[in-house]
Amino acid sequence: IVCVGRNYAEHAKELNNPIPSEPILFIKPESSAVPFAQEIKIPTTDCHYETELAILLGKSLTSASEEDVQQSISGIGLGLDLTRRALQSKLKEKSHPWEIAKGFDGACPLTNFIAPNQFSDFTNIHFTLHINKKLKQSGNSSDMLNPIVPLIAYMSTCFTLKPGDVILTGTPKGVGELKSGDVLELNLMDKIKLTSKTI
Ligand code: ZN
């Protein structure tokens, strides 16, 4: 699971982070992936949600062109980039890698994936997260600093991407802490509507 940090200007601002000149990449291990449509186990009281468009790759990509990237996308869904925020802040202060704050077991609940031909424009995909019926995050890929296709092309110049890899494309503003018993509803343009509960 390859992720990008601060891909929405408004989210960078809410965490008092500067807007990066190049994509900030990090990886969550395969063992962090769990289905969204079951209970979400949160490890501590320090666990924050970040709702993100998730792109499933069907082909290998090395220094790929944007056309290669278009052809490699085999599914579009949503993921939560769960983050132990206080731990991440501590690691960032020391300029240490923040993987342990984002790579724990269950740190990446994922929805099912929809065929890419269900979306006419990758630069206009809308999604929301409600918690306990309240709108918490509302994002549109049109607000990404690095849009989906060029972002994945860039990632493939850093390392080879493989079939089955999932790209998390960053979170819009509105991140916050999860508490046990929260009811989360994800909606991807009414093509995906799923509910889960934290324990
Ligand atoms: Zn994220």
Side-chain angles (χ1 to χ4, degrees), residues 1-6 11 15 17 24-33 43 46-52 80-89 91-92 97-109 168 170-171 175:
I1 303 165
V2 185
C3 310
V4 59
R6 300 176 215 166
H11 168 64
L15 295 185
N17 285 317
I24 300 171
L25 304 186
F26 60 96
I27 289 177
K28 288 162 94 85
E30 185 188 346
S31 49
S32 69
D46 169 35
C47 183
H48 282 223
Y49 56 84
E50 297 185 357
T51 311
E52 313 201 0
L80 294 179
D81 172 16
L82 297 184
T83 303
R84 294 183 59 187
R85 188 71 69 203
L87 176 59
Q88 185 198 23
S89 300
L91 293 163
K92 270 160 68 176
W98 63 51
E99 258 74 8
I100 61 169
K102 282 178 171 279
F104 54 87
D105 286 3
C108 191
L168 288 190
T171 193
V175 300

Side-chain angles (χ1 to χ4, degrees), residues 78 126-129 185-193:
L78 293 173
H126 181 242
F127 57 96
T128 57
L129 168 72
E185 292 171 74
L186 289 178
N187 188 315
L188 176 59
M189 294 172 84
D190 285 338
K191 298 172 198 291
I192 293 175
K193 283 171 158 179

